[in-house]
Amino acid sequence: KTFFRSACAACGKVRVPPGDVKLLVGAAGGEVRYEFRCPKCSTEVSAVATRATAEMLQGLGAVVSLAPGPVAPPEAGADDDG
């Protein structure tokens, strides 16, 4: 089974099934964020995705949505381990 590795501010590194990740594409500038619920503590996690990470997640089945406005900067403690 394939997992996306990322981090939760509360739990540290976590593995998330790609289908549980939502990609939000910003209306302006093509910025992309990913969001998921931490599989350990259920906290909502959100971070900026690199182009490579976004393409990989989309190819693995992440849900893609258009954000209603610009994509916000990353939250403290979140990182993009791809």
Side-chain angles (χ1 to χ4, degrees):
K1 189 167 183 175
T2 302
F3 290 94
F4 173 63
R5 292 179 305 175
S6 189
C8 167
C11 300
K13 293 189 182 258
V14 294
R15 296 176 359 145
V16 184
D20 292 348
V21 179
K22 182 179 2 176
L23 287 171
L24 296 172
V25 179
E31 299 159 323
V32 179
R33 294 184 66 77
Y34 61 87
E35 296 181 343
F36 63 89
R37 186 171 297 279
C38 176
K40 294 180 180 178
C41 71
S42 298
T43 297
E44 288 288 334
V45 177
S46 178
V48 172
T50 64
R51 174 179 225 145
T53 297
E55 289 173 357
M56 182 262 313
L57 283 168
Q58 185 176 6
L60 292 173
V63 177
V64 180
S65 298
L66 182 62
V71 177
E75 297 174 6
D79 66 14
D80 184 358
D81 281 348

